[in-house]
Amino acid sequence: MEQIVEAKSILKKKDLLAVLAESVYNPTEERLMNRANNYIINPNTAVYANKENDTYKGIIVIDFSNINAIEILDIAVSASFQKSGIGSSLINHCINMFHPDEIIAETDDDAVEFYEKFGFHILSLGDKYGAGIMRYQCTFKCK
């Protein structure tokens, strides 16, 4: 049975880190562990995972420090489960849990279509970091 579970306390599990790696540029073990540690110690982050039986299919990490908006820090779905609604279900779970006015995220060309399909307003930030990679600010009005 598929379910969404709290995953901050188990974020360092190999199978969860493997899912998280889908959203991380150059996902070395060290980079993934550093990211996981930062999320675990931050009291303003929440982590949820889509799980079916013993398989983690997707993960979302949010920052809820702003009472009016939540920010998606990471969202990832295992390659074999992409385009099956898992990412959308994770966002909807966060909307139901936190009731934000809006959700914001920053992404690149690889994921901007997902946010657009969900209904986010997309604003191009250009090559924000000077690395030849387009970045986008994505905003979804919940209310």
Side-chain angles (χ1 to χ4, degrees):
M1 179 175 157
E2 197 167 280
Q3 59 185 327
I4 295 178
V5 297
E6 187 284 323
K8 187 173 185 175
S9 61
I10 55 170
L11 187 55
K12 291 186 192 178
K13 287 182 68 170
K14 279 191 178 227
D15 46 352
L16 268 176
L17 288 175
V19 177
L20 182 63
E22 294 286 339
S23 71
V24 177
Y25 173 74
N26 189 22
T28 64
E29 185 176 342
E30 181 181 5
R31 289 188 77 188
L32 289 170
M33 288 303 284
N34 285 339
R35 191 173 229 143
N37 285 330
N38 287 336
Y39 291 153
I40 290 167
I41 64 171
N42 185 337
N44 295 315
T45 60
V47 182
Y48 299 100
N50 176 294
K51 180 182 180 185
E52 184 171 22
N53 299 321
D54 291 329
T55 302
Y56 291 100
K57 296 180 174 183
I59 189 169
I60 189 168
V61 181
I62 61 164
D63 181 311
F64 57 88
S65 57
N66 180 334
I67 61 169
N68 298 316
I70 59 176
E71 179 180 4
I72 297 174
L73 302 175
D74 270 302
I75 185 168
V77 175
S78 293
S80 57
F81 299 110
Q82 290 177 0
K83 300 193 185 303
S84 64
I86 291 170
S88 295
S89 71
L90 288 165
I91 292 174
N92 284 323
H93 179 79
C94 292
I95 291 170
N96 292 331
M97 289 287 297
F98 294 93
H99 308 287
D101 293 338
E102 67 181 9
I103 300 173
I104 57 173
E106 185 178 308
T107 195
D108 57 19
D109 287 330
D110 291 341
V112 71
E113 185 179 310
F114 163 77
Y115 287 104
E116 194 168 40
K117 185 177 176 184
F118 189 92
F120 280 74
H121 171 72
I122 309 299
L123 174 67
S124 176
L125 301 173
D127 183 5
K128 182 177 175 180
Y129 302 109
I133 299 170
M134 291 293 295
R135 301 296 296 175
Y136 303 90
Q137 178 72 37
C138 308
T139 307
F140 182 79
K141 300 290 185 190
C142 301
K143 297 179 180 176

